[in-house]
Amino acid sequence: MKNGEVLGSIPISPKLAVVAEKMARHYFANQVKSEFMESADICNPPASMGGSWIPRKQLAALGYRVPAEKSQWVMSTGIDMHVDRIWGETLMWVVHNDGLHFKQGRVKVVHQPGEWFIFNDALPHQVDIKKPTDSGEVWIGWAVKIERK
């Protein structure tokens, strides 16, 4: 397994797709207002969203577990290579993507909504525009702290 590669897919419910689209438009509008001073944002998901989507069996098969349901939304209009050092190994479920790619190491993927992957936020990674347009590209993922069993 390589950090960032697609490990599975979990369908995005119509309700979540609508929420994610609204979040993306709102986030992009705020980015325009701030002249893109902040290239990524993190916020907590609503408690009502829950963690029932987490692929626990697949994670266990890969040697991971969810120690506590610490989760957050991660939104970006593109961010250069950086290191966060928030959780280390992180499960990421892509809930919205207007064509931006995620890159860590040699893996560079334009994830589709519903795809999930594992990456290490303590290692260099980026979210970048594959083909720049002015149509408001936004990438939104739901991050969950994971650890080795």
Side-chain angles (χ1 to χ4, degrees):
M1 176 193 79
K2 295 180 182 173
N3 287 336
E5 74 180 351
V6 176
L7 298 174
S9 185
I10 301 164
I12 303 290
S13 72
K15 180 179 178 180
L16 180 55
V18 168
V19 168
E21 179 65 29
K22 287 180 182 177
M23 287 173 54
R25 295 312 111 215
H26 179 74
Y27 180 70
F28 189 80
N30 285 339
Q31 288 295 298
V32 170
K33 285 180 193 173
S34 73
E35 298 180 351
F36 294 88
M37 294 302 289
E38 294 291 328
S39 53
D41 193 20
I42 296 173
C43 63
N44 294 323
S48 63
M49 299 300 281
S52 61
W53 65 271
I54 297 172
R56 294 177 195 282
K57 288 181 183 176
Q58 293 94 329
L59 288 173
L62 293 168
Y64 291 96
R65 69 184 191 91
V66 178
E69 287 197 27
K70 292 182 180 177
S71 65
Q72 60 193 18
W73 291 114
V74 178
M75 295 173 264
S76 181
T77 55
I79 187 166
D80 292 333
M81 196 63 73
H82 67 286
V83 173
D84 297 310
R85 290 189 184 95
I86 296 171
W87 291 336
E89 295 192 295
T90 303
L91 167 66
M92 184 68 73
W93 183 35
V94 179
V95 296
H96 180 91
N97 189 4
D98 292 315
L100 283 79
H101 67 256
F102 175 89
K103 182 175 191 268
Q104 186 163 59
R106 295 183 179 185
V107 175
K108 186 175 179 179
V109 180
V110 176
H111 294 101
Q112 301 303 307
E115 293 178 341
W116 63 272
F117 61 95
I118 294 171
F119 82 106
N120 189 329
D121 76 355
L123 298 174
H125 59 282
Q126 76 182 75
V127 173
D128 204 4
I129 297 172
K130 182 179 175 189
K131 181 179 172 188
T133 70
D134 288 325
S135 62
E137 292 88 354
V138 176
W139 187 97
I140 301 176
W142 191 340
V144 176
K145 177 181 176 38
I146 58 173
E147 64 184 30
R148 294 260 177 204
K149 295 197 286 183

